Amino acid sequence: MARRKSVCCGGSALEVTLSVLFILMTAVCVTLIALMATWKTHADPEPITSPSPHKPYLIGVGRADITGPPADIPLMGYANPQQMAAGIHTRLYSRAFIIDDGRRRVLFVTADIGMISQRLRLEVLQALQTKYGDLYRQDNVVLSGTHTHCAPGGYFQYTLLMIPSKGYIKASIEPLVNGIVKSIDLAHRNMRPGRIYRNRGELDNSSRNRSPHSYLNNPESERHRYKWNTDKQVLVLKFTDLDGDGIGMLSWFAVHAVSMNYTNRMVSSDNMGYASYLLEQDKNPGELPGQGGFVAGFSSSNLGDVSPNTRGPHCVNTGLPCNYLNSSCPVGGLKACLASGPGDDMFESTRIIGHSIYRKAKELYTNAVEEVTGFLHSAHQWVNMTDVTIQINDTHMVSTCKPALGHSFAAGTTDGGGDLNFTQGAVEGDPFWDGIRDAILGPPSNQTQKCHHPKPILFSTGEMNFPLPWHPQIVDVQIITIGPVAVVAVPGEMTTMSGRRLRDAVKQELESEGTFRDTEVVIAGLSNVYTHYITTYEEYQVQRYEGASTIYGPHTLSAYLHKYRGLARAIAQDRVSELPVGPQPPFFNKNLFTLMLPAPADRKPENTSFGDVLQQVFPVYRQGDVVSITFIAGNPRHSGDIRDKTFLTVEIYDNRTGTWEVVHTDASWDTRFHWLKGSNRQSNATIEWHIPPSAHSGFYRIRHFGHYKQMMGLRPDIKPYQGTSDVFRVAASFYYQ
């Protein structure tokens, strides 16, 4: 009995002990869970880049024609007065990408133009405000230019940029505004649930630093962090619907769109536009260029010192390398020093570079599996860039300057040199040119000269205001984030090292609060307003073209780093609403001048009609040949708004239906529309079709469309016309089988 009792009592004690231990363990677990929850809440907040790992975005893509008048209007980029538009190589497009996370919306537009001007951005924002209210605003809309140097100018409101563009030209800016807005309308209407994936890679043999002497002035320790003196990175964002079908792609790569050189007079989207053309043709099979639902945007980045002319600069008269320091030649000076390649002419170079960019982007697009998830953010400020003060260390404050351009600005670059006897790398003025400047425009103030040192000032544009300010004071700084991808919209052309410093600064600020991880920062160049170049302080000291064109002085980059850090910090801390808006930019209505006269009435030879053929096609061609035909033409300016139209078609005869099918328009890479202004107001149009190897054998014809103007008394009368070639045959052999 005693043993049983002992056993019984021993069992009760064990049960009590186990119960106490269970209660203690439960208390400990509860305490640990509470501590973990508290620690998770306060010490390690959930990244705002991952609200829901697989929550889809609303995505919309759209593309629209923005091609302006391809005649008489200066092409913007080289500032060459002889480079007046006279035809179409390829059409220009705006490509819009809208993303919505249910809380916020961002809109990115890349357009086939030299740069976004402040005037263009303000007019687009006004049009969006009228259509959509406050849905699309200055803070969540980024407009970026691909930097082609072969798109019509005339869309600026500051005097310096109006002069080479023949002023403010409504016929030029209206198709830009209407086309950009149309691309946004299409993207807005096409919004649907979808996903975004990112991928990155490197593209070599497609770019070259055109100012290596300036680059080498950056600290050696900094340069040693990088393999190349240009950025080779390609970033791709892949947009799909919920079924995984691709609807669009957006990519960034740093290279100047100057494969088409300053001798070209046809409107052209250049290498970046050709990359878009190739991917869209690939993803929209059977569609004509500019048609189809898939939209491929290739955007500019920190391309300030990056050229696609990979053979480098050589003296065109001797074939020898140019002077390394000032990019000139013993005979011919700057104009004789020209970079070229990789092709034997500008068309082949455009094709090679564009195809390389396309091929790398397509590879990255195809293999993109890393999903982009997380909230969207946008931060924007207007900044008076003539008056930014920055604390660079414990004892020194520096500031930006009123805008000014140095002597080396007039020297141009190895992608297109100036006509006068200026040289790159000038750190002293020229008494001859300074005297002419002083007599016509007045000398720069001592304060401005001191602020810009060592730049010898050629034009003190910040002190020139007739008939309008020569350069902007108020500029946009802006960042949008798509999950962990931060797009930094830069109002100019950043050099390679400037872009690297800005990317590092933005990434550091975004990740400082623990709310962003694995952040991808990309520079979107030529965005929102054009302010020329942005070099590092060290590059500025060399005063090559890029440094001479850094208009706000040697501390321009420091000012931008300061401002973009502030935007990134506000995003990371979710305090964007507290950012000051800044001073609004002007929208000039008075003193906008134009040097563009109305196109005169057209004339034609006696006993002919507009559209008649002057030079007929041959009966038979092979793949690889060039078909050429010339028509009596009117001035293309008389065709008005040419968006979504064409000056030509190449058509194949369909034996099954007995009809003609359009296989090419003037948007096609394989066609060229040349307009030649003759004497006595007569003009011709020559159409070329470079028959690709893929062309089907069969019977073809070429048609030309246009308008001519006649005067009915004092009233202009504009009428359409068309012309058609003889039927010709494309065959693998000249011999009939």
Side-chain angles (χ1 to χ4, degrees), residues 253-308:
F253 178 61
V255 69
H256 257 79
V258 292
S259 292
M260 299 294 290
N261 64 40
Y262 62 84
T263 66
N264 170 59
R265 296 185 61 194
M266 291 183 290
V267 170
S268 175
S269 59
D270 212 288
N271 47 40
M272 300 294 274
Y274 184 49
S276 290
Y277 173 92
L278 288 172
L279 190 56
E280 288 179 347
Q281 289 292 100
D282 191 19
K283 297 296 183 180
N284 297 310
E287 299 282 1
L288 290 171
Q291 299 178 9
F294 188 94
V295 178
F298 286 77
S299 183
S300 62
S301 194
N302 53 318
L303 48 66
D305 52 358
V306 188
S307 171

Side-chain angles (χ1 to χ4, degrees), residues 346-660:
M346 59 183 170
F347 298 99
E348 186 181 5
S349 292
T350 303
R351 180 187 61 79
I352 293 171
I353 296 297
H355 189 271
S356 295
I357 297 170
Y358 147 77
R359 187 176 60 234
K360 173 55 68 171
K362 181 181 177 182
E363 171 197 322
L364 295 172
Y365 174 91
T366 302
N367 297 319
V369 294
E370 182 182 355
E371 186 172 0
V372 174
T373 61
F375 291 133
L376 308 178
H377 296 269
S378 62
H380 171 277
Q381 283 183 305
W382 284 305
V383 176
N384 183 347
M385 275 299 292
T386 69
D387 187 26
V388 179
T389 301
I390 316 104
Q391 182 94 36
I392 59 172
N393 56 42
D394 293 338
T395 58
H396 285 79
M397 301 277 287
V398 296
S399 63
T400 54
C401 315
K402 290 182 179 180
L405 291 162
H407 275 244
S408 294
F409 161 76
T413 72
T414 55
D415 293 323
D419 290 308
L420 304 173
N421 63 332
F422 293 91
T423 57
Q424 293 204 61
V427 291
E428 293 182 359
D430 184 301
F432 175 76
W433 293 114
D434 288 347
I436 293 176
R437 176 206 61 207
D438 293 350
I440 299 174
L441 303 171
S445 67
N446 291 334
Q447 179 184 4
T448 299
Q449 291 186 70
K450 182 179 179 181
C451 188
H452 278 271
H453 182 78
K455 176 194 291 179
I457 294 175
L458 181 63
F459 298 122
S460 185
T461 53
E463 299 172 319
M464 299 160 63
N465 295 292
F466 178 82
L468 288 165
W470 281 49
H471 266 144
Q473 291 187 351
I474 311 302
V475 307
D476 300 68
V477 292
Q478 183 181 21
I479 298 175
I480 61 172
T481 64
I482 307 160
V485 178
V487 181
V488 183
V490 173
E493 306 178 52
M494 276 198 162
T495 60
T496 299
M497 195 63 83
S498 291
R500 289 168 175 171
R501 291 183 190 179
L502 180 58
R503 288 199 304 264
D504 288 347
V506 169
K507 181 180 177 69
Q508 182 183 49
E509 290 293 341
L510 287 175
E511 296 183 347
S512 63
E513 299 291 324
T515 50
F516 280 79
R517 297 171 185 162
D518 191 23
T519 310
E520 188 90 47
V521 181
V522 64
I523 305 292
L526 290 307
S527 296
N528 299 335
V529 54
Y530 186 60
T531 63
H532 297 263
Y533 283 74
I534 304 157
T535 65
T536 66
Y537 175 84
E538 295 84 358
E539 292 165 347
Y540 185 92
Q541 307 306 306
V542 181
Q543 280 299 294
R544 282 179 63 84
Y545 175 81
E546 294 82 11
S549 304
T550 298
I551 63 174
Y552 300 114
H555 303 292
T556 298
L557 177 60
S558 296
Y560 279 125
L561 291 175
H562 174 65
K563 291 299 179 181
Y564 283 107
R565 277 184 179 276
L567 297 184
R569 192 179 309 117
I571 291 173
Q573 296 175 351
D574 201 16
R575 300 174 66 178
V576 172
S577 61
E578 299 176 20
L579 286 171
V581 175
Q584 291 197 20
F587 186 87
F588 298 119
N589 288 313
K590 295 181 179 180
N591 297 333
L592 285 173
F593 64 88
T594 180
L595 305 176
M596 194 81 181
L597 299 175
D602 295 299
R603 289 182 177 176
K604 57 183 178 58
E606 290 186 10
N607 302 318
T608 63
S609 299
F610 289 99
D612 283 357
V613 176
L614 292 175
Q615 178 184 318
Q616 192 55 264
V617 297
F618 295 131
V620 184
Y621 295 88
R622 292 179 295 188
Q623 287 86 354
D625 289 343
V626 178
V627 184
S628 180
I629 182 170
T630 301
F631 298 89
I632 297 173
N635 189 320
R637 288 171 63 193
H638 294 147
S639 294
D641 185 356
I642 63 169
R643 292 177 304 125
D644 301 317
K645 300 174 185 176
T646 184
F647 286 99
L648 68 91
T649 55
V650 177
E651 303 172 7
I652 188 172
Y653 186 73
D654 190 333
N655 288 312
R656 297 168 301 172
T657 62
T659 59
W660 291 93

Side-chain angles (χ1 to χ4, degrees), residues 93-94 99 156 177 236 293 326 425 433 485 509 531 565 576 667 670:
Y93 292 96
S94 169
I99 307 159
F156 300 89
V177 174
V236 162
N326 61 27
W433 293 114
V485 178
E509 290 293 341
T531 63
R565 277 184 179 276
V576 172
D670 300 311

Side-chain angles (χ1 to χ4, degrees), residues 19-34:
S19 298
V20 170
L21 287 172
F22 176 79
I23 293 170
L24 288 172
M25 289 299 296
T26 302
V28 169
C29 289
V30 170
T31 302
L32 286 173
I33 291 172

